[in-house]
Amino acid sequence: MTHDEVEILYIEDSAADVELTLVALRRCRVANKIQVARDGAEALDFLFCRRAYADRQFLAPKLVLLDMKLPKVDGLEVLHAIREDERTKMVPVVVLTSSNEQKDMLDSYKLHVNSYIQKPVDFDQFQRVVQQLGLYWLVVNQTPLPESSLAR
Amino acid sequence: MDGKKWGGGFKPVGILTALFCSAVLGYMAGVRQANPDTPASSKTYVLNLGSLHLTLTVGAIGVLVIFLLTVLLAAAVVFAAVASRRRRQAEAANRELANEVKERRKAEEEVNQLNAELESRVLARTEQLDAANKELEAFSYSVAHDLRAPLRHINGFSKILQEDYGPALDATAQHYLKSVSDAARNMGQLVDDLLKMGRIGRQALVRRPTNLTTLVEIARQDLEPECAGRQIDWRIGELSSVECDPGLMKQVLANLLSNAVKYTRVREKAVIEVGQVTLDCIPAIFIRDNGAGFDQQYAHKLFGVFQRLHSAEEFEGTGVGLATVRRIVQKHGGQVWAEAEVDKGATFFFTLADDSQGSGCATKSVAAGKL
């Protein structure tokens, strides 16, 4: 996989959560082009081809899976940056978090999050949720081509 | 000054006036008789008589005037003495009044100071409470986020181990793994329930006129997945409309109905009755079932957090449901209590009005078990 053809940008600081999510996605064979970022800063660097990812060719992922509580730059800040940039403002972002705090939910929806999901403790449910997510956003859902490609 | 005192002053004036008048009349009589036609001898007599009368009268008037002046002087002295006494009294009263005013002002200042102190103390307490609340919120946020995560990992990895490596493990190893994943899931449920209860505590009550019958019907419909394959005879009576927080009240009904469904699992035919009675002049809603019931002597433990009267093997649960019910009912100023007998079902009652402000009805024995 090259950095250019990433389907899912998964922003999660917990190694255990990353592993569990990858197991769930692998089991349903939905996605294998996943880029994991361990904090918000790394995610934005990757997304906007900065610093360590400066040589990456920009291409918006099909889905951003976003944890709320992240080191350095938190989930809401990442979401804000994604919605602020012309190139990424339409990218589907799904918050996948432990918290179901009303405030987090409200703030996320105010920033036009596409979906807000609380990670279930039970792995069977967690697996189902992750698989449904992958299937829906990568297979069922359709996203428009970038406006720049239409103009040409 | 009253009229009596003045009356004493009028008398000498009257006498004086009378004497003066008689003197004048006497003199005039003398003058009239001493006209030129009258004989000289008789004229002299009349003149002498007139001057005698005049002299006597003037003397009497002089005596009376002196008497009157004396009386006036005495009255003036008495009056001055009385006035001075009155003045002294008035001055004393004024001093007393001034003192009183001073004292009152002082007391008022003290009250004001106490009020200000009280106000600043209330402010400080409110600040402390706000801080404690914020701390609690931060705590519950961190519980939600940081405590749930490791539970999810324990459950997840033990499940993956079971599923991917199960065939390589013997029955005991598989049983242990299942226990690990079950325990993590249960604790996850516990954490979720506790957080939900904590949130209710901090949530503001929004009372609206609410039809309880409709709310019961909604709560019952939500329970349909749990009722699948069961034979349940629902007997839902007519309930009154009350002023309550519909969201929270639905949680009360959902908890109590779900308990009724759970604990009647042992019956082939479950009967769950919802109705309304009037106890101590207050309407009380009841939910009655013919399920496993419980020993009434432990009724007081029923509504405590994590308190359970059945083992998790018999009936699953975290012991947070009824604690949540109590918290919501108490937030509404009501009470909740239960009556039951082992193996003969249970009845849960709750009121929403505060019966301490009731219509003066005598408290009956039914209140004894209220929580």
Side-chain angles (χ1 to χ4, degrees):
Chain A
M1 176 188 80
T2 67
H3 282 151
D4 302 340
E5 51 190 21
V6 162
E7 286 190 313
I8 299 177
L9 172 60
Y10 180 29
I11 310 158
E12 171 65 70
D13 62 322
S14 151
D17 268 323
V18 168
E19 216 175 331
L20 289 175
T21 309
L22 292 183
V23 167
L25 285 172
R26 216 164 33 230
R27 280 181 172 184
C28 69
R29 293 184 186 81
V30 163
N32 45 23
K33 296 170 189 165
I34 302 171
Q35 177 72 30
V36 177
R38 301 299 297 274
D39 62 60
E42 192 194 337
L44 294 177
D45 283 351
F46 174 83
L47 205 55
F48 299 117
C49 313
R50 297 186 302 220
R51 277 184 273 265
Y53 301 95
D55 56 347
R56 185 178 90 92
Q57 182 78 36
F58 175 83
L59 189 71
K62 283 187 172 175
L63 174 68
V64 173
L65 281 180
L66 180 62
D67 189 16
M68 275 280 105
K69 210 176 163 194
L70 292 167
K72 297 181 196 169
V73 179
D74 72 22
L76 283 174
E77 289 173 288
V78 172
L79 181 56
H80 189 249
I82 291 174
R83 290 295 180 247
E84 282 286 281
D85 195 293
E86 272 303 315
R87 295 170 291 171
T88 52
K89 68 175 185 188
M90 286 196 280
V91 170
V93 178
V94 172
V95 165
L96 190 61
T97 179
S98 273
S99 136
N100 69 341
E101 280 297 313
Q102 285 298 313
K103 198 186 170 307
D104 281 349
M105 240 183 268
L106 210 68
D107 290 344
S108 303
Y109 275 103
K110 277 181 186 163
L111 288 170
H112 307 292
V113 77
N114 296 77
S115 198
Y116 187 105
I117 287 155
Q118 189 192 23
K119 296 172 192 165
V121 167
D122 182 64
F123 182 68
D124 293 339
Q125 287 179 40
F126 178 75
Q127 185 167 256
R128 237 183 345 261
V129 164
V130 170
Q131 290 174 354
Q132 280 172 359
L133 267 180
L135 202 71
Y136 180 79
W137 289 106
L138 299 187
V139 181
V140 179
N141 184 55
Q142 296 205 341
T143 43
L145 289 170
E147 277 182 292
S148 53
S149 69
L150 286 177
R152 265 180 236 144
Chain B
M1 294 283 157
D2 51 34
K4 256 186 184 170
K5 274 180 185 163
W6 277 114
F10 275 121
K11 243 178 202 164
V13 174
I15 294 168
L16 259 179
T17 314
L19 281 171
F20 182 74
C21 288
S22 82
V24 170
L25 284 173
Y27 177 72
M28 276 168 67
V31 170
R32 187 173 44 86
Q33 286 190 12
N35 63 39
D37 308 329
T38 327
S41 59
S42 107
K43 216 188 270 180
T44 313
Y45 168 75
V46 170
L47 271 175
N48 282 344
L49 208 64
S51 69
L52 180 68
H53 192 160
L54 192 67
T55 312
L56 276 175
T57 306
V58 168
I61 287 171
V63 169
L64 262 172
V65 165
I66 286 164
F67 171 74
L68 202 65
L69 282 176
T70 314
V71 166
L72 276 176
L73 191 69
V77 167
V78 168
F79 183 78
V82 167
S84 121
R85 212 178 108 220
R86 291 249 163 123
R87 198 172 54 242
R88 275 201 306 278
Q89 276 176 347
E91 272 168 10
N94 269 349
R95 269 199 304 278
E96 215 171 288
L97 206 65
N99 273 343
E100 207 169 298
V101 166
K102 215 160 121 193
E103 263 169 42
R104 284 216 181 161
R105 209 164 278 164
K106 207 173 134 204
E108 207 173 294
E109 264 164 35
E110 266 170 36
V111 166
N112 282 345
Q113 201 180 331
L114 280 177
N115 269 346
E117 250 172 58
L118 201 68
E119 216 158 281
S120 77
R121 213 178 287 176
V122 165
L123 266 177
R125 283 283 149 83
T126 311
E127 265 168 34
Q128 281 173 353
L129 259 176
D130 279 348
N133 243 348
K134 284 221 177 81
E135 221 166 272
L136 210 68
E137 248 161 62
F139 171 76
S140 74
Y141 185 89
S142 122
V143 167
H145 203 277
D146 302 338
L147 277 191
R148 284 176 95 260
L151 291 171
R152 195 171 55 247
H153 303 153
I154 296 168
N155 182 275
F157 288 115
S158 54
K159 277 270 176 68
I160 293 172
L161 206 55
Q162 271 171 277
E163 286 161 12
D164 291 1
Y165 300 91
L169 301 171
D170 66 12
T172 315
Q174 284 189 28
H175 164 71
Y176 290 157
L177 266 181
K178 190 179 178 304
S179 302
V180 171
S181 61
D182 284 355
R185 194 195 49 230
N186 287 346
M187 190 167 162
Q189 191 60 52
L190 217 68
V191 167
D192 286 351
D193 286 356
L194 265 182
L195 284 172
K196 218 189 276 173
M197 196 170 83
R199 209 165 288 152
I200 288 166
R202 298 195 302 272
Q203 200 176 321
L205 212 61
V206 185
R207 283 179 192 263
R208 271 189 285 150
T210 308
N211 185 330
L212 285 182
T213 317
T214 316
L215 224 50
V216 167
E217 192 47 44
I218 294 170
R220 194 192 66 80
Q221 279 169 11
D222 288 349
L223 282 169
E224 259 161 20
E226 293 171 45
C227 302
R230 296 263 314 269
Q231 202 188 338
I232 301 175
D233 179 7
W234 291 95
R235 298 174 187 175
I236 300 174
E238 199 58 40
L239 309 178
S240 54
S241 279
V242 290
E243 283 276 332
C244 66
D245 187 310
L248 291 178
M249 194 41 56
K250 199 195 139 207
Q251 285 194 50
V252 167
L253 293 166
N255 263 306
L256 293 175
L257 290 183
S258 145
N259 272 354
V261 168
K262 187 184 355 179
Y263 291 98
T264 50
R265 205 161 53 199
V266 289
R267 299 277 175 264
E268 200 182 317
K269 190 186 172 209
V271 180
I272 299 171
E273 192 185 345
V274 184
Q276 186 173 325
V277 287
T278 302
L279 298 169
D280 306 341
C281 307
I282 293 163
I285 310 298
F286 69 86
I287 289 98
R288 180 173 292 137
D289 67 63
N290 64 339
F294 59 84
D295 191 338
Q296 185 67 29
Q297 66 168 313
Y298 303 122
H300 62 286
K301 290 189 171 181
L302 212 53
F303 297 90
V305 185
F306 294 145
Q307 294 279 3
R308 301 212 59 212
L309 299 185
H310 298 89
S311 72
E313 283 75 38
E314 279 179 286
F315 295 101
E316 70 290 347
T318 53
V320 179
L322 285 179
T324 306
V325 165
R326 178 171 67 168
R327 184 164 284 196
I328 297 174
V329 169
Q330 283 179 342
K331 247 181 124 79
H332 280 85
Q335 290 179 307
V336 58
W337 70 101
E339 289 166 6
E341 214 178 308
V342 175
D343 225 24
K344 286 190 177 159
T347 308
F348 285 82
F349 296 87
F350 70 87
T351 59
L352 292 178
D354 185 3
D355 57 2
S356 64
Q357 294 158 19
S359 46
C361 292
T363 309
K364 288 180 205 155
S365 62
V366 74
K370 283 181 189 174
L371 288 156

PDB file of all heavy atoms in Angstrom, chain B residues 84-100:
ATOM      1  N   SER B  84     -41.294  73.105  83.171  1.00  0.00           N
ATOM      2  CA  SER B  84     -39.906  72.690  83.272  1.00  0.00           C
ATOM      3  C   SER B  84     -39.826  71.170  83.495  1.00  0.00           C
ATOM      4  O   SER B  84     -38.956  70.495  82.974  1.00  0.00           O
ATOM      5  CB  SER B  84     -39.214  73.485  84.376  1.00  0.00           C
ATOM      6  OG  SER B  84     -38.704  72.645  85.369  1.00  0.00           O
ATOM      7  N   ARG B  85     -40.808  70.669  84.328  1.00  0.00           N
ATOM      8  CA  ARG B  85     -40.817  69.218  84.574  1.00  0.00           C
ATOM      9  C   ARG B  85     -41.079  68.476  83.251  1.00  0.00           C
ATOM     10  O   ARG B  85     -40.425  67.506  82.913  1.00  0.00           O
ATOM     11  CB  ARG B  85     -41.903  68.886  85.597  1.00  0.00           C
ATOM     12  CG  ARG B  85     -41.471  67.673  86.450  1.00  0.00           C
ATOM     13  CD  ARG B  85     -42.494  67.363  87.502  1.00  0.00           C
ATOM     14  NE  ARG B  85     -43.200  66.155  87.159  1.00  0.00           N
ATOM     15  CZ  ARG B  85     -44.502  65.991  87.340  1.00  0.00           C
ATOM     16  NH1 ARG B  85     -45.223  66.977  87.816  1.00  0.00           N
ATOM     17  NH2 ARG B  85     -45.058  64.848  87.039  1.00  0.00           N
ATOM     18  N   ARG B  86     -42.074  69.023  82.524  1.00  0.00           N
ATOM     19  CA  ARG B  86     -42.413  68.390  81.235  1.00  0.00           C
ATOM     20  C   ARG B  86     -41.213  68.396  80.314  1.00  0.00           C
ATOM     21  O   ARG B  86     -40.930  67.445  79.603  1.00  0.00           O
ATOM     22  CB  ARG B  86     -43.559  69.176  80.566  1.00  0.00           C
ATOM     23  CG  ARG B  86     -44.839  69.011  81.315  1.00  0.00           C
ATOM     24  CD  ARG B  86     -45.840  68.215  80.537  1.00  0.00           C
ATOM     25  NE  ARG B  86     -46.860  67.770  81.459  1.00  0.00           N
ATOM     26  CZ  ARG B  86     -48.156  68.043  81.313  1.00  0.00           C
ATOM     27  NH1 ARG B  86     -48.555  68.724  80.284  1.00  0.00           N
ATOM     28  NH2 ARG B  86     -49.007  67.598  82.183  1.00  0.00           N
ATOM     29  N   ARG B  87     -40.521  69.561  80.322  1.00  0.00           N
ATOM     30  CA  ARG B  87     -39.377  69.691  79.418  1.00  0.00           C
ATOM     31  C   ARG B  87     -38.322  68.642  79.785  1.00  0.00           C
ATOM     32  O   ARG B  87     -37.772  67.971  78.952  1.00  0.00           O
ATOM     33  CB  ARG B  87     -38.803  71.110  79.517  1.00  0.00           C
ATOM     34  CG  ARG B  87     -37.925  71.436  78.327  1.00  0.00           C
ATOM     35  CD  ARG B  87     -37.485  72.881  78.286  1.00  0.00           C
ATOM     36  NE  ARG B  87     -36.856  73.290  79.518  1.00  0.00           N
ATOM     37  CZ  ARG B  87     -37.303  74.235  80.317  1.00  0.00           C
ATOM     38  NH1 ARG B  87     -38.410  74.886  80.026  1.00  0.00           N
ATOM     39  NH2 ARG B  87     -36.675  74.542  81.422  1.00  0.00           N
ATOM     40  N   ARG B  88     -38.103  68.544  81.148  1.00  0.00           N
ATOM     41  CA  ARG B  88     -37.105  67.563  81.584  1.00  0.00           C
ATOM     42  C   ARG B  88     -37.511  66.161  81.138  1.00  0.00           C
ATOM     43  O   ARG B  88     -36.710  65.378  80.650  1.00  0.00           O
ATOM     44  CB  ARG B  88     -36.954  67.632  83.106  1.00  0.00           C
ATOM     45  CG  ARG B  88     -35.975  68.717  83.554  1.00  0.00           C
ATOM     46  CD  ARG B  88     -35.463  68.421  84.944  1.00  0.00           C
ATOM     47  NE  ARG B  88     -36.529  68.221  85.913  1.00  0.00           N
ATOM     48  CZ  ARG B  88     -37.184  69.230  86.529  1.00  0.00           C
ATOM     49  NH1 ARG B  88     -36.874  70.479  86.273  1.00  0.00           N
ATOM     50  NH2 ARG B  88     -38.132  68.980  87.393  1.00  0.00           N
ATOM     51  N   GLN B  89     -38.841  65.896  81.335  1.00  0.00           N
ATOM     52  CA  GLN B  89     -39.351  64.568  80.935  1.00  0.00           C
ATOM     53  C   GLN B  89     -39.148  64.353  79.440  1.00  0.00           C
ATOM     54  O   GLN B  89     -38.705  63.297  78.990  1.00  0.00           O
ATOM     55  CB  GLN B  89     -40.841  64.456  81.269  1.00  0.00           C
ATOM     56  CG  GLN B  89     -41.082  64.045  82.712  1.00  0.00           C
ATOM     57  CD  GLN B  89     -42.561  64.042  83.050  1.00  0.00           C
ATOM     58  OE1 GLN B  89     -43.381  64.570  82.273  1.00  0.00           O
ATOM     59  NE2 GLN B  89     -42.895  63.481  84.193  1.00  0.00           N
ATOM     60  N   ALA B  90     -39.501  65.398  78.657  1.00  0.00           N
ATOM     61  CA  ALA B  90     -39.388  65.282  77.198  1.00  0.00           C
ATOM     62  C   ALA B  90     -37.943  65.060  76.790  1.00  0.00           C
ATOM     63  O   ALA B  90     -37.634  64.238  75.921  1.00  0.00           O
ATOM     64  CB  ALA B  90     -39.919  66.547  76.527  1.00  0.00           C
ATOM     65  N   GLU B  91     -37.062  65.811  77.497  1.00  0.00           N
ATOM     66  CA  GLU B  91     -35.647  65.657  77.181  1.00  0.00           C
ATOM     67  C   GLU B  91     -35.176  64.225  77.454  1.00  0.00           C
ATOM     68  O   GLU B  91     -34.475  63.612  76.645  1.00  0.00           O
ATOM     69  CB  GLU B  91     -34.814  66.647  77.994  1.00  0.00           C
ATOM     70  CG  GLU B  91     -34.664  67.992  77.293  1.00  0.00           C
ATOM     71  CD  GLU B  91     -34.096  69.040  78.218  1.00  0.00           C
ATOM     72  OE1 GLU B  91     -33.648  68.660  79.332  1.00  0.00           O
ATOM     73  OE2 GLU B  91     -34.118  70.210  77.849  1.00  0.00           O
ATOM     74  N   ALA B  92     -35.653  63.702  78.629  1.00  0.00           N
ATOM     75  CA  ALA B  92     -35.281  62.325  78.986  1.00  0.00           C
ATOM     76  C   ALA B  92     -35.807  61.357  77.934  1.00  0.00           C
ATOM     77  O   ALA B  92     -35.099  60.450  77.476  1.00  0.00           O
ATOM     78  CB  ALA B  92     -35.832  61.983  80.364  1.00  0.00           C
ATOM     79  N   ALA B  93     -37.104  61.598  77.535  1.00  0.00           N
ATOM     80  CA  ALA B  93     -37.702  60.714  76.518  1.00  0.00           C
ATOM     81  C   ALA B  93     -36.932  60.790  75.213  1.00  0.00           C
ATOM     82  O   ALA B  93     -36.680  59.778  74.553  1.00  0.00           O
ATOM     83  CB  ALA B  93     -39.160  61.108  76.298  1.00  0.00           C
ATOM     84  N   ASN B  94     -36.534  62.047  74.878  1.00  0.00           N
ATOM     85  CA  ASN B  94     -35.765  62.241  73.640  1.00  0.00           C
ATOM     86  C   ASN B  94     -34.441  61.496  73.696  1.00  0.00           C
ATOM     87  O   ASN B  94     -34.044  60.847  72.741  1.00  0.00           O
ATOM     88  CB  ASN B  94     -35.485  63.725  73.420  1.00  0.00           C
ATOM     89  CG  ASN B  94     -36.586  64.363  72.600  1.00  0.00           C
ATOM     90  OD1 ASN B  94     -37.424  63.641  72.049  1.00  0.00           O
ATOM     91  ND2 ASN B  94     -36.604  65.676  72.539  1.00  0.00           N
ATOM     92  N   ARG B  95     -33.792  61.628  74.876  1.00  0.00           N
ATOM     93  CA  ARG B  95     -32.496  60.943  75.030  1.00  0.00           C
ATOM     94  C   ARG B  95     -32.696  59.433  74.851  1.00  0.00           C
ATOM     95  O   ARG B  95     -31.953  58.755  74.159  1.00  0.00           O
ATOM     96  CB  ARG B  95     -31.913  61.248  76.399  1.00  0.00           C
ATOM     97  CG  ARG B  95     -31.004  62.490  76.405  1.00  0.00           C
ATOM     98  CD  ARG B  95     -30.105  62.472  77.614  1.00  0.00           C
ATOM     99  NE  ARG B  95     -30.855  62.386  78.873  1.00  0.00           N
ATOM    100  CZ  ARG B  95     -31.410  63.447  79.485  1.00  0.00           C
ATOM    101  NH1 ARG B  95     -31.294  64.650  78.965  1.00  0.00           N
ATOM    102  NH2 ARG B  95     -32.061  63.299  80.603  1.00  0.00           N
ATOM    103  N   GLU B  96     -33.793  58.938  75.526  1.00  0.00           N
ATOM    104  CA  GLU B  96     -34.095  57.504  75.456  1.00  0.00           C
ATOM    105  C   GLU B  96     -34.337  57.076  74.007  1.00  0.00           C
ATOM    106  O   GLU B  96     -33.825  56.070  73.524  1.00  0.00           O
ATOM    107  CB  GLU B  96     -35.347  57.221  76.276  1.00  0.00           C
ATOM    108  CG  GLU B  96     -35.310  55.871  76.988  1.00  0.00           C
ATOM    109  CD  GLU B  96     -36.484  55.773  77.939  1.00  0.00           C
ATOM    110  OE1 GLU B  96     -36.459  56.462  78.983  1.00  0.00           O
ATOM    111  OE2 GLU B  96     -37.421  55.045  77.594  1.00  0.00           O
ATOM    112  N   LEU B  97     -35.125  57.933  73.333  1.00  0.00           N
ATOM    113  CA  LEU B  97     -35.474  57.648  71.936  1.00  0.00           C
ATOM    114  C   LEU B  97     -34.216  57.615  71.073  1.00  0.00           C
ATOM    115  O   LEU B  97     -34.023  56.722  70.238  1.00  0.00           O
ATOM    116  CB  LEU B  97     -36.423  58.731  71.423  1.00  0.00           C
ATOM    117  CG  LEU B  97     -37.342  58.307  70.275  1.00  0.00           C
ATOM    118  CD1 LEU B  97     -38.292  57.234  70.735  1.00  0.00           C
ATOM    119  CD2 LEU B  97     -38.102  59.509  69.735  1.00  0.00           C
ATOM    120  N   ALA B  98     -33.349  58.614  71.332  1.00  0.00           N
ATOM    121  CA  ALA B  98     -32.108  58.698  70.563  1.00  0.00           C
ATOM    122  C   ALA B  98     -31.279  57.438  70.788  1.00  0.00           C
ATOM    123  O   ALA B  98     -30.726  56.854  69.845  1.00  0.00           O
ATOM    124  CB  ALA B  98     -31.322  59.929  70.961  1.00  0.00           C
ATOM    125  N   ASN B  99     -31.262  57.033  72.090  1.00  0.00           N
ATOM    126  CA  ASN B  99     -30.524  55.805  72.411  1.00  0.00           C
ATOM    127  C   ASN B  99     -31.092  54.615  71.666  1.00  0.00           C
ATOM    128  O   ASN B  99     -30.366  53.807  71.103  1.00  0.00           O
ATOM    129  CB  ASN B  99     -30.597  55.527  73.919  1.00  0.00           C
ATOM    130  CG  ASN B  99     -29.483  56.264  74.636  1.00  0.00           C
ATOM    131  OD1 ASN B  99     -28.514  56.690  74.001  1.00  0.00           O
ATOM    132  ND2 ASN B  99     -29.626  56.433  75.936  1.00  0.00           N
ATOM    133  N   GLU B 100     -32.442  54.583  71.708  1.00  0.00           N
ATOM    134  CA  GLU B 100     -33.119  53.457  71.064  1.00  0.00           C
ATOM    135  C   GLU B 100     -32.817  53.428  69.570  1.00  0.00           C
ATOM    136  O   GLU B 100     -32.505  52.393  68.986  1.00  0.00           O
ATOM    137  CB  GLU B 100     -34.621  53.573  71.290  1.00  0.00           C
ATOM    138  CG  GLU B 100     -35.321  52.227  71.276  1.00  0.00           C
ATOM    139  CD  GLU B 100     -36.748  52.363  71.757  1.00  0.00           C
ATOM    140  OE1 GLU B 100     -36.942  52.758  72.930  1.00  0.00           O
ATOM    141  OE2 GLU B 100     -37.638  52.114  70.941  1.00  0.00           O
TER     142      GLU B 100
END
